[in-house]
Amino acid sequence: NILIDTVASSVLSKEITSLRLGNTYQLKLVALNRELRSSFSTSVSGIPIPAAPTELKITSKNYNGFNLSWNPVLNSASYEVYRSTSLTGSYALLSTVDLTSYQDIKANFNTTYYYKVSVVSPTGNESELSQAKQACTSLATCSWVRGSWYKPRA
């Protein structure tokens, strides 16, 4: 048994950030006070969920697609790339890739897209989606005005 952390009795949950992806962990609790220590609780099994990728970037734009890249996540098995035509809409899975980049060559001209990426761990657990990144397939650039995105007219 290895002590991971000690928390106050008022703490009802604890995030453990030092675990490796791909491993299964057995966790137990023990109650302590100044003089007494309880026996260990029943063991519970846990598998770490990876953090979402960061620094999603659109590195190259043209009339029919984009090159996307993001920071690698340690011990990841793959990444899943999602796309939507609405920031708050549903995102469709475009592809599962092993690298920290993806080339979307199936975008429609004169369309605004939003991309998100997730990490898949070696055990198949998927992270939450990354922050969205916007891209436009037009000669004009995407712009932010009064709380919403729009495409300026050429």
Side-chain angles (χ1 to χ4, degrees):
N1 295 320
I2 299 170
L3 177 64
I4 294 176
D5 202 357
T6 303
V7 297
S9 61
S10 60
V11 174
L12 300 178
S13 66
K14 171 69 178 166
E15 180 177 338
I16 304 168
T17 59
S18 60
L19 306 178
R20 286 184 52 98
L21 295 178
N23 293 342
T24 300
Y25 293 87
Q26 298 295 321
L27 303 171
K28 297 178 183 180
L29 299 175
V30 64
L32 303 169
N33 70 16
R34 293 180 196 167
E35 299 171 12
L36 300 173
R37 175 183 170 166
S38 73
S39 57
F40 284 103
S41 68
T42 304
S43 176
V44 293
S45 179
I47 300 172
I49 297 173
T54 59
E55 299 296 322
L56 177 58
K57 297 175 186 151
I58 308 295
T59 56
S60 170
K61 303 175 188 180
N62 58 48
Y63 67 92
N64 70 338
F66 310 97
N67 291 330
L68 289 79
S69 66
W70 53 89
N71 287 343
V73 174
L74 188 64
N75 299 317
S76 60
S78 61
Y79 300 91
E80 295 197 330
V81 180
Y82 295 84
R83 182 178 75 181
S84 176
T85 55
S86 168
L87 178 62
T88 58
S90 62
Y91 284 75
L93 177 63
L94 284 178
S95 185
T96 301
V97 297
D98 296 330
L99 303 173
T100 57
S101 62
Y102 175 74
Q103 184 178 33
D104 181 5
I105 58 171
K106 296 184 179 180
N108 294 321
F109 181 69
N110 206 28
T111 304
T112 299
Y113 290 104
Y114 300 88
Y115 293 90
K116 293 184 177 186
V117 179
S118 69
V119 176
V120 179
S121 73
T123 56
N125 292 321
E126 185 178 3
S127 73
E128 294 199 15
L129 297 178
S130 67
Q131 294 288 325
K133 193 69 170 185
Q134 181 204 39
C136 301
T137 53
S138 67
L139 300 177
T141 59
C142 301
S143 299
W144 178 261
V145 171
R146 294 186 203 160
S148 63
W149 290 99
Y150 83 103
K151 292 179 292 192
R153 295 183 184 173

